[in-house]
């Protein structure tokens, strides 16, 4: 039996390699359980209640957490801010304290704010799971990506992973750069130069390369969604597929064994050709399924403190 | 009759459900239920037994249902803190999604503030009606339609919506004892068109029985009675004293202007109140008037409580009324006017005035017409013709 001795999950950097491996093992376990029933665990009055607080629209991630919780027998309270107003510092703290008083065990938070979760987490008793904070971190996405990579390649070491798109503003890219850095694999970043991070800020295992190099030499091409809501400025969507997207012509230049990933939702015809989403190379729907499995493992690990019957 | 045709078609669609069983027994006035194949229903859930059963019945009748709770109160209040979690559990048990919409700010700046101001004006407010109009059938309905993609907002209120050609009419529910149409008179056509009351044909016992049979965990939860934002263990008077502060003033006999005693705040009194005045007198004394400017509470005998007339503001009318003209050539309609939640309606002539005001002439004098309360007008077959706020 393995104990995940964590109260919160705010960043992938909160986790050691051993903890990540344990989450992936448990996620793998859930990924192989039949998916045809929503609930496996009997719902008892004292089962945990988790609250989804999404201050940015994301039906997909919210629903993934909801399904994960319900499969575990947990209750789900979906909180909606009125008029989508962001709750900052004190207000969010008050909301969390009230939810805590109501008996809510964990809050899953998605926020456009990049700072502040750490501070709030240190002053509340319920658990906080970061479901994406601005351009900062999206740890559950990184974990589901790791699980998907490990399932497909059988390892997390010695892989060359290309991440293509708006790296600078992407919490998915940030979390994956951090996550993959914990294993002996390398990252190639590519996309519009205005959207590349400062090379000096990158860790040793990550480099910025040309589109051709990224496509032709990687084991995995991970495309990022063009985030229209974050304004790309000078970048035009019309030519995006040809210039920085994964179109069929580029796909031909990928290594034979190389795979395609995307955190979804995708813009078909902008960063990725629609046909490639469902092609043999695509792991995109596996990622979605693994999202539920990994989130089950995280909720369990954080709320139960340990994974019961790890091989059960 | 148009309503009968719709009734027949819908019973076909929901015929195996508990809802249809009760709908059949209701007779003439058919409670509006939409086509389950074309509807998505958000049910406003307080965590109480009524809204829980309403949600259960809709789901059982084959509707696509989602639970929605308005989070109204910032601190601890009587309803929403435990209610929200109960609602979450019930939704889970029924097998529907649950959503909470954070309306704490608008509730505080709207409903609660108005409540305090109304007391400062010497009135006895009834915040639940404004909350229905502005929060539940305002923000919550808007959220249900715009964000959750619902076609309708249902609630566990005991009321009835009936479609008459292109109009949505409001009626009392089948069982007079629990009827809540008094709380719903403020709804307009746009709101009523999206409104469902699944409990229209049920008595409270029916609701409890359904809850027990369905093993809903809230089956035996007591009904809520009080102002929801006043904390458990606190009286209204404690609450208002804390918010408005002690405001000592005189208690004065209305007939002769004699000062009989003192009070610590006129907000502790309401029109018609007999108990707790704390003045010994040869015959029973009642609060008959509160003057906020003089901070004076007037008392008198029972006959001083009677009024033949009243005025009210911000009237809302639902559907058509038959206008008549009196001997002076003034237009009015006949109705039975209910001047408080726990009173019987009395026959009255309602004179609509400019600026959504009304003047009301009762057929016989009524007791304790209280500013801040609502006056609701009932017509034939207990149809709600409208209502207004007593001045």
């Amino acid at each position: 039996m393995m104990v995940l001795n964590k109260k919160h999950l705010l960043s992938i950097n909160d986790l050691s390699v051993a903890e990540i491996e344990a989450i992936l093992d448990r996620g793998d376990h859930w990924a192989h359980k039949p998916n045809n029933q929503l609930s496996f665990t009997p719902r008892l009055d004292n089962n945990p209640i988790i609250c989804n607080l999404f201050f940015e629209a994301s039906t997909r991630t919210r629903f993934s957490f909801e399904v994960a919780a319900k499969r575990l027998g947990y209750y789900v309270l979906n909180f909606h801010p009125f008029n989508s107003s962001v709750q900052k510092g004190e207000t969010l703290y008050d909301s969390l304290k009230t939810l805590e008083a109501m008996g809510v065990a964990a809050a899953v938070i998605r926020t456009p704010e990049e700072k502040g979760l750490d501070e709030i987490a240190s002053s509340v008793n319920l658990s906080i799971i970061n479901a994406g904070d601005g351009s900062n971190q999206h740890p559950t996405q990184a974990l589901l990506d790791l699980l998907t990579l490990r399932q497909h390649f059988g390892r997390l070491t010695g892989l060359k992973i290309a991440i293509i798109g708006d790296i600078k503003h992407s919490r998915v890219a940030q979390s994956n750069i951090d996550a993959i850095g914990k294993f002996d694999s390398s990252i190639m970043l590519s996309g519009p130069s205005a959207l590349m991070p400062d090379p000096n800020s990158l860790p040793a295992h990550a480099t910025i390369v040309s589109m051709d190099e990224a496509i032709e030499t990687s084991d995995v091409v991970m495309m990022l969604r063009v985030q229209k809501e974050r304004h790309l400025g000078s970048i035009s969507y019309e030519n995006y597929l040809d210039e920085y997207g994964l179109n069929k012509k580029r796909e031909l230049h990928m290594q034979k064994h190389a795979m395609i990933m995307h955190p979804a939702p995708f813009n078909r015809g902008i960063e990725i050709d629609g046909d490639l989403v469902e092609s043999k190379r695509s792991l995109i729907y596996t990622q979605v399924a693994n999202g539920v499995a990994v989130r089950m493992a995280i909720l369990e690990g954080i709320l139960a403190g340990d994974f019961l019957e790890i091989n059960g | 009759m148009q309503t009968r045709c719709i009734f027949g078609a819908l019973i076909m669609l929901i015929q195996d459900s508990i809802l249809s069983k009760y709908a059949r027994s209701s007779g003439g006035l058919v409670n509006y239920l939409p086509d389950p194949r074309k509807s998505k229903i958000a049910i406003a859930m307080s965590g109480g037994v009524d809204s829980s059963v309403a949600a259960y019945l809709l789901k059982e009748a084959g509707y696509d249902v989602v639970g929605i709770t308005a989070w109204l109160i910032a601190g601890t209040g009587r309803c929403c803190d435990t209610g929200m979690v109960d609602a979450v559990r019930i939704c889970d048990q029924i097998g529907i999604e649950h959503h909470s919409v954070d309306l704490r700010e608008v509730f505080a700046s709207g409903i609660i503030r108005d409540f305090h101001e109304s007391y400062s004006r010497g009135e006895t407010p009834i915040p639940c009606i404004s909350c229905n109009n502005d929060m539940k059938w305002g923000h919550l309905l808007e959220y249900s339609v715009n964000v959750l993609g619902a076609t309708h907002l249902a609630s566990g209120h005991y009321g009835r919506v009936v479609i008459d050609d292109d109009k949505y009419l409001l009626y009392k529910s089948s069982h007079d004892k629990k009827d809540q149409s008094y709380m719903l008179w403020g709804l307009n056509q746009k709101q009523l068109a999206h409104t469902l009351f699944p409990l229209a044909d049920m008595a409270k016992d029916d609701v409890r029985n359904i809850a027990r049979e369905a093993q809903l965990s809230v089956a035996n939860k007591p009904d809520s009675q009080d102002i929801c934002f006043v904390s458990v263990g606190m009286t209204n008077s404690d609450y208002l004293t804390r918010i408005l502060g002690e405001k000592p003033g005189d208690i004065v006999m209305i007939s002769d202007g004699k000062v009989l005693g003192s009070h610590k705040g006129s907000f502790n009194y309401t029109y018609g109140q007999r108990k707790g005045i704390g003045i010994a007198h040869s015959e029973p004394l009642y609060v008959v008037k509160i003057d906020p400017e003089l901070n004076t509470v007037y008392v008198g005998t029972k006959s001083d409580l009677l009024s033949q007339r009243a005025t009210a503001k911000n009237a809302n009318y639902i559907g058509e009324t038959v206008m008549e003209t009196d001997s002076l050539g003034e237009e009015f309609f006949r109705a039975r006017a209910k001047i408080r939640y726990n009173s019987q309606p009395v026959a009255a002539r309602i004179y609509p005035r400019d600026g959504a005001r009304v003047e009301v002439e009762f057929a016989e004098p009524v007791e304790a017409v209280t500013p801040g309360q609502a006056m609701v007008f009932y017509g034939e077959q207990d149809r709600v013709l409208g209502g207004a706020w007593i001045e």
Side-chain angles (χ1 to χ4, degrees):
Chain A
M1 198 176 290
M2 177 267 172
V3 175
L4 184 64
N5 202 7
K6 285 280 179 293
K7 187 166 150 199
H8 307 294
L9 178 57
L10 304 180
S11 161
I12 192 73
N13 298 317
D14 294 347
L15 299 172
S16 67
V17 169
E19 284 168 335
I20 291 174
E21 301 263 17
I23 291 171
L24 300 188
D25 288 347
R26 189 60 175 167
D28 212 26
H29 159 86
W30 287 121
H32 289 95
K33 285 273 181 184
N35 216 351
N36 55 4
Q37 60 187 112
L38 196 61
S39 167
F40 294 109
T41 319
R43 213 77 95 236
L44 301 172
D45 268 0
N46 58 358
N47 280 4
I49 303 168
I50 72 153
C51 181
N52 284 322
L53 295 103
F54 279 58
F55 300 98
E56 273 185 339
S58 170
T59 313
R60 196 174 298 258
T61 305
R62 182 194 52 83
F63 197 63
S64 178
F65 270 105
E66 177 151 0
V67 173
K70 288 195 166 169
R71 281 183 67 181
L72 291 167
Y74 299 174
Y75 296 96
V76 180
L77 195 162
N78 288 302
F79 170 96
H80 297 269
F82 182 59
N83 286 343
S84 303
S85 60
V86 181
Q87 291 194 346
K88 300 192 184 191
E90 222 167 287
T91 331
L92 179 58
Y93 170 79
D94 285 338
S95 295
L96 293 172
K97 289 306 273 185
T98 309
L99 288 167
E100 190 180 295
M102 290 177 193
V104 171
V108 177
I109 301 178
R110 158 73 59 98
T111 167
E113 303 286 301
E114 292 177 18
K115 284 188 182 130
L117 277 188
D118 293 53
E119 198 185 326
I120 286 170
S122 66
S123 52
V124 295
N125 290 320
L126 48 68
S127 291
I128 293 179
I129 296 167
N130 181 0
D133 55 342
S135 310
N136 188 30
Q137 279 279 325
H138 192 355
T140 62
Q141 178 71 41
L143 288 163
L144 77 88
D145 287 341
L146 289 180
L147 178 59
T148 308
L149 289 169
R150 201 180 77 167
Q151 282 172 348
H152 185 80
F153 293 101
R155 64 181 202 279
L156 288 172
T157 54
L159 297 173
K160 287 176 88 171
I161 295 152
I163 305 179
I164 298 172
D166 179 4
I167 310 294
K168 206 174 176 177
H169 300 108
S170 170
R171 56 194 169 213
V172 175
Q174 188 57 55
S175 301
N176 270 318
I177 292 169
D178 293 347
I180 287 159
K182 293 173 184 288
F183 300 88
D184 195 15
S185 286
S186 63
I187 301 249
M188 292 180 285
L189 304 170
S190 197
S193 57
L195 302 177
M196 290 301 106
D198 175 2
N200 299 322
S201 72
L202 289 173
H205 69 282
T207 48
I208 298 171
V209 302
S210 69
M211 280 298 287
D212 288 345
E213 189 183 344
I215 298 283
E216 288 163 19
T217 65
S218 58
D219 299 305
V220 174
V221 174
M222 192 182 281
M223 299 305 298
L224 298 178
R225 182 171 69 93
V226 170
Q227 303 189 63
K228 293 176 187 166
E229 71 275 17
R230 291 199 207 279
H231 300 299
L232 289 184
S234 55
I235 315 292
S236 101
Y237 301 127
E238 275 169 37
N239 304 323
Y240 194 91
L241 185 61
D242 286 339
E243 288 180 41
Y244 304 106
L246 184 57
N247 56 22
K248 287 177 180 163
K249 214 169 97 194
R250 286 212 171 90
E251 189 259 347
L252 293 175
H253 293 100
M254 286 172 64
Q255 295 194 67
K256 235 184 189 149
H257 71 275
M259 303 300 283
I260 300 168
M261 289 172 70
H262 190 301
F266 26 80
N267 302 302
R268 288 174 192 260
I270 298 185
E271 74 267 1
I272 187 164
D273 185 294
D275 291 343
L276 296 178
V277 172
E278 272 119 320
S279 71
K280 280 184 182 160
R281 286 191 193 271
S282 170
L283 290 173
I284 294 172
Y285 290 103
T286 311
Q287 287 174 278
V288 175
N290 282 340
V292 173
V294 147
R295 288 173 180 124
M296 289 174 77
I298 292 163
L299 287 171
E300 259 186 326
I302 282 185
L303 292 181
D306 58 7
F307 299 133
L308 303 170
E309 304 169 76
I310 201 142
N311 301 311
Chain B
M1 196 170 138
Q2 173 98 11
T3 47
R4 287 225 180 261
C5 299
I6 294 168
F7 177 56
L10 280 164
I11 287 298
M12 293 292 284
L13 289 166
I14 59 166
Q15 59 182 344
D16 293 328
S17 70
I18 302 170
L19 215 48
S20 70
K21 194 183 101 194
Y22 281 91
R24 271 197 206 93
S25 70
S26 74
L29 292 167
V30 180
N31 184 38
Y32 172 57
L33 289 169
D35 183 342
R37 295 165 304 185
K38 296 176 191 160
S39 316
K40 177 173 178 180
I41 299 172
I43 165 89
M45 298 189 72
S46 64
V49 65
D50 293 330
S51 53
S52 298
V53 166
Y56 168 74
L57 292 173
L58 289 167
K59 175 77 175 169
E60 203 250 357
Y63 287 99
D64 181 4
V65 188
V66 48
I68 184 166
T69 302
W71 188 357
L72 299 176
I73 297 158
T76 50
R78 279 195 172 97
C79 79
C80 304
D81 51 352
T82 58
M84 197 147 84
V85 166
D86 284 337
V88 168
R89 293 210 170 94
I90 289 291
C91 283
D92 195 283
Q93 198 179 348
I94 297 169
I96 61 175
E97 264 188 37
H98 180 265
H99 298 269
S100 290
V101 184
D102 182 9
L103 299 181
R104 286 173 294 173
E105 262 181 54
V106 281
F107 188 75
S109 63
I111 307 301
I112 298 181
R113 208 183 66 181
D114 288 352
F115 180 78
H116 300 159
E117 288 178 359
S118 177
Y119 268 110
S120 304
R121 287 193 300 267
E123 302 172 351
T124 305
I126 175 162
C128 305
I129 294 173
S130 321
C131 180
N132 282 339
N133 295 344
D134 303 342
M135 299 292 130
K136 297 189 186 116
W137 276 271
H139 300 309
L140 212 56
L141 173 58
E142 204 181 296
Y143 201 87
S144 301
V145 172
N146 295 343
V147 181
L148 301 178
T151 52
H152 297 83
L153 178 69
S155 87
H157 284 93
Y158 294 83
R160 176 189 305 275
V161 176
V162 173
I163 301 184
D164 183 20
D165 288 334
D166 57 342
K167 282 263 170 25
Y168 294 84
L169 304 179
L170 179 66
Y171 285 82
K172 272 191 180 176
S173 61
S174 293
H175 297 266
D176 209 42
K177 216 169 137 191
K178 282 305 286 188
D179 173 62
Q180 289 169 315
S181 56
Y182 178 80
M183 300 290 189
L184 301 164
W185 62 269
L187 302 181
N188 60 32
Q189 283 300 299
K190 223 172 145 188
Q191 292 166 316
L192 286 169
H194 294 284
T195 298
L196 303 181
F197 296 124
L199 306 186
D201 300 308
M202 296 181 197
K204 187 79 192 192
D205 287 348
D206 299 327
V207 169
R208 293 245 180 238
N209 287 337
I210 292 166
R212 280 186 207 111
E213 269 164 41
Q215 298 184 311
L216 299 182
S217 55
V218 293
N220 298 316
K221 191 172 166 181
D223 286 0
S224 61
Q225 300 282 356
D226 304 290
I227 303 291
C228 71
F229 48 87
V230 176
S231 301
V232 179
M234 200 182 231
T235 63
N236 253 20
S237 173
D238 293 343
Y239 173 83
L240 290 165
T241 306
R242 210 193 63 197
I243 301 287
L244 304 173
E246 269 196 18
K247 295 225 168 67
D250 293 336
I251 298 180
V252 172
M253 188 69 183
I254 190 108
S255 53
D256 55 13
K258 220 171 104 183
V259 177
L260 299 184
S262 65
H263 64 78
K264 289 180 178 170
S266 65
F267 46 78
N268 292 317
Y269 303 86
T270 185
Y271 287 54
Q273 179 178 338
R274 187 165 72 88
K275 288 177 186 162
I277 300 175
I279 291 166
H281 201 257
S282 55
E283 55 185 317
L285 289 179
Y286 299 83
V287 174
V288 298
K289 193 183 161 188
I290 295 168
D291 186 325
E293 318 240 297
L294 299 174
N295 191 25
T296 297
V297 174
Y298 291 94
V299 293
T301 58
K302 198 159 189 176
S303 63
D304 295 321
L305 269 181
L306 297 174
S307 330
Q308 190 86 47
R309 296 166 172 282
T311 59
K313 61 184 177 183
N314 297 332
N316 179 51
Y317 301 104
I318 305 171
E320 302 291 320
T321 47
V322 182
M323 299 305 291
E324 298 177 42
T325 308
D326 71 8
S327 54
L328 298 171
E330 301 232 40
E331 286 214 314
F332 71 94
F333 64 89
R334 289 176 200 275
R336 278 167 303 112
K338 181 172 166 130
I339 59 162
R340 64 177 66 221
Y341 189 58
N342 296 321
S343 74
Q344 286 302 313
V346 291
R349 290 181 171 195
I350 319 296
Y351 291 84
R353 301 296 190 208
D354 288 345
R357 292 182 67 254
V358 290
E359 282 179 36
V360 180
E361 196 182 302
F362 303 106
E364 53 196 81
V366 295
E367 272 181 25
V369 176
T370 307
Q373 295 283 299
M375 179 162 2
V376 181
F377 317 129
Y378 291 93
E380 275 177 38
Q381 292 182 290
D382 283 329
R383 180 161 89 77
V384 176
L385 309 177
W389 296 101
I390 298 170
E391 290 180 303

